[in-house]
Amino acid sequence: NSGCKLGSDLNTAWGSLQLEVATPDEGPKPESGMLSVDAEAAGFYDDKIVKKAQKGITSEREDVRFANLKSSIDALPIRDQRRMRFMDLDRCSTQFVASVPIYGDLCTNSEFYEMWQGGYMGVPSNIIAPHVGMTLPGGQRLDQYGNNLTCNSMTGDTWRTHHNEFKYEIEACCAQYGMRCETEIYGLFSAYITQGSVYDEWSGRKRQGLIPDFMVWTADNRRVLMELKTIHQSKNNYPNYAIRARCGALEKRAAKIHDEYHVKARRIDVTANGLDPDDGGMGPCQAHLAEYGKIWGLVIGPSGSVSSDVHKLIGEIAKTGAERKWQAMGARSQEEAQGVIKGALRRRLGITAARAAARLKIARIGIARGDGKAAAKRRKKGQDARRTEEEERYYAWGPKAHVGGQRNGC
């Protein structure tokens, strides 16, 4: 009311903020929150001076914007791609949007376009667009988002590559922050399988019984088994009820992993250990599995989002890393270091997951367009021819076929 320009501008700006946050029923200003007071009391709310007032004002504005966006998203059809991607986003899958390109987190232009369009925005992909409608193995037609491309069984090892890219990143994160972690745990259950005629018929990998993706020693020195799964967008993985919940499809898949492990262990006990199928107790293999408690289900989705157990693992890694490195990091406390490490892990794992999903689509469109089956046959013929050539060389030169690093007869 002084009439000075600064006061007048503050009053105008404050009024515009109040109009932005207030609902139509509230009138020109909201009924609660920092922006519910007049401009003369800016920064003073609930009978006290507000600490970090700028943060509070920003939070109130963002909450209203999110509510408006959520209302618009809810108005879309249940299986609209934009709605499905919005409900599939989490604190990991959105990391690439605001992260600076640093070593290890780099993406090519093609990968970034696919991460942004297909994984984040839920709009048709520029990479897929020229090939929409082409026939995929199995007879399906390629859709404009590339969902059929990732769900279809196809030549090549792209599913395993997608899975292992995230798996080895988790292993690297554990090693960096001092958390003990083992991957592909061989021999953990083989001692609990009775050797006999059934065992002898099994292949080497099957004789292992169960092979978890991870065994991790948590901050309180507990051993936890973890299984990593990737899911792709299909009606089976994304039923309507799962779309209505944030990352519901990922949690649906993660919830099955513990029971799946116990079903497999019981099947081994019945088949190889002679357990009566009608016996309600546990055999030696399942009993050993039960010693490790709940099997954590680590699931990554088509947009780079992850299940709650991945976020839980991030917290465990951060806790261990903070205990070991908080002083070297220059942090004032372990709690401060833990927050920094959590942010770094979310960025690293989130970008890895989103980028791996984009790489899967890019690789598979190349396989689909390039007649992958014919290429696989050509590679196999080439390998067979190479083996034949080596055999002929050995027959001609005998033990001297490979001498001093050189191959005679070349």
Side-chain angles (χ1 to χ4, degrees):
N1 297 326
S2 62
C4 70
K5 187 176 185 305
L6 179 60
S8 176
D9 289 346
L10 174 61
N11 192 55
T12 301
W14 194 259
S16 66
L17 290 174
Q18 289 177 321
L19 287 173
E20 179 183 342
V21 172
T23 63
D25 296 335
E26 291 176 330
K29 65 180 182 179
E31 296 178 353
S32 62
M34 287 188 58
L35 292 169
S36 63
V37 301
D38 294 330
E40 292 84 350
F44 190 82
Y45 177 69
D46 199 18
D47 296 329
K48 61 183 178 182
I49 297 176
V50 179
K51 294 182 179 181
K52 298 184 178 180
Q54 180 64 57
K55 180 180 179 181
I57 294 172
T58 302
S59 296
E60 290 185 18
R61 297 177 69 194
E62 289 181 346
D63 288 345
V64 171
R65 290 182 179 183
F66 180 82
N68 293 336
L69 175 61
K70 182 68 165 58
S71 177
S72 300
I73 291 293
D74 289 341
L76 296 172
I78 185 66
R79 301 203 69 83
D80 188 285
Q81 188 75 7
R82 293 166 295 175
R83 178 172 182 169
M84 296 178 74
R85 289 283 70 82
F86 177 81
M87 295 304 295
D88 218 27
L89 296 176
D90 66 357
R91 299 185 73 177
C92 283
S93 62
T94 57
Q95 289 294 319
F96 78 95
V97 177
S99 295
V100 296
I102 60 176
Y103 180 78
D105 295 339
L106 301 178
C107 306
T108 65
N109 288 343
S110 298
E111 291 167 356
F112 188 85
Y113 288 147
E114 182 55 40
M115 291 160 67
W116 175 259
Q117 293 175 323
Y120 187 79
M121 297 299 293
V123 297
S125 168
N126 287 346
I127 296 173
I128 303 296
H131 314 293
V132 172
M134 69 175 289
T135 303
L136 299 173
Q140 285 186 311
R141 296 285 183 176
L142 179 60
D143 61 289
Q144 60 183 339
Y145 305 106
N147 296 328
N148 293 341
L149 189 67
T150 57
C151 295
N152 232 358
S153 180
M154 193 175 293
T155 301
D157 211 16
T158 50
W159 277 341
R160 187 187 301 273
T161 302
H162 179 206
H163 174 277
N164 287 351
E165 188 169 347
F166 193 77
K167 180 178 74 174
Y168 294 131
E169 195 66 29
I170 289 178
E171 184 183 30
C173 289
C174 290
Q176 179 178 351
Y177 292 105
M179 171 171 273
R180 186 177 174 186
C181 172
E182 295 180 7
T183 58
E184 296 287 336
I185 317 301
Y186 278 76
L188 190 62
F189 294 92
S190 57
Y192 298 88
I193 302 175
T194 303
Q195 296 188 23
S197 58
V198 175
Y199 180 86
D200 293 339
E201 292 174 359
W202 287 352
S203 64
R205 186 177 179 88
K206 193 172 182 180
R207 289 180 180 182
Q208 299 296 321
L210 300 170
I211 306 176
D213 282 321
F214 300 100
M215 179 191 285
V216 171
W217 280 253
T218 61
D220 56 357
N221 205 30
R222 290 182 298 112
R223 293 186 301 171
V224 178
L225 298 182
M226 304 180 183
E227 181 70 15
L228 175 63
K229 298 293 184 183
T230 60
I231 64 171
H232 311 289
Q233 187 172 317
S234 65
K235 290 185 177 180
N236 182 47
N237 290 330
Y238 281 79
N240 290 349
Y241 73 86
I243 300 172
R244 292 187 172 91
R246 175 70 59 185
C247 296
L250 278 69
E251 298 304 327
K252 166 180 166 287
R253 180 66 187 92
K256 297 179 179 179
I257 290 176
H258 177 81
D259 290 339
E260 287 174 352
Y261 257 72
H262 277 268
V263 168
K264 290 178 182 178
R266 184 170 182 81
R267 187 181 302 127
I268 292 170
D269 285 328
V270 171
T271 305
N273 293 331
L275 179 68
D276 185 352
D278 298 326
D279 187 353
M282 293 184 181
C285 189
Q286 187 180 8
H288 183 59
L289 175 64
E291 294 175 3
Y292 295 94
K294 180 181 179 295
I295 312 299
W296 289 19
L298 312 182
V299 183
I300 57 175
S303 62
S305 51
V306 298
S307 62
S308 57
D309 279 343
V310 178
H311 291 286
K312 187 177 176 182
L313 175 59
I314 288 173
E316 289 290 339
I317 298 174
K319 186 176 180 180
T320 300
E323 290 176 354
R324 294 171 178 262
K325 297 175 178 282
W326 71 276
Q327 291 176 316
M329 291 171 60
R332 291 170 291 185
S333 65
Q334 289 188 19
E335 290 74 17
E336 181 179 350
Q338 194 170 334
V340 173
I341 295 173
K342 276 185 180 180
L345 289 171
R346 289 192 192 106
R347 183 187 69 244
R348 184 171 173 180
L349 293 176
I351 292 177
T352 297
R355 184 178 56 201
R359 286 175 175 174
L360 176 68
K361 282 188 181 179
I362 295 170
R364 289 199 143 211
I365 193 66
I367 293 172
R369 290 293 297 168
D371 193 357
K373 286 186 177 180
K377 289 180 180 179
R378 288 194 296 271
R379 285 193 295 270
K380 187 176 186 306
K381 287 181 179 179
Q383 291 169 355
D384 291 341
R386 182 176 181 274
R387 283 196 295 269
T388 302
E389 182 183 349
E390 290 179 347
E391 289 170 357
E392 291 178 353
R393 188 179 301 112
Y394 182 81
Y395 293 146
W397 293 88
K400 296 182 180 180
H402 304 278
V403 177
Q406 296 273 347
R407 290 189 297 184
N408 289 323
C410 297

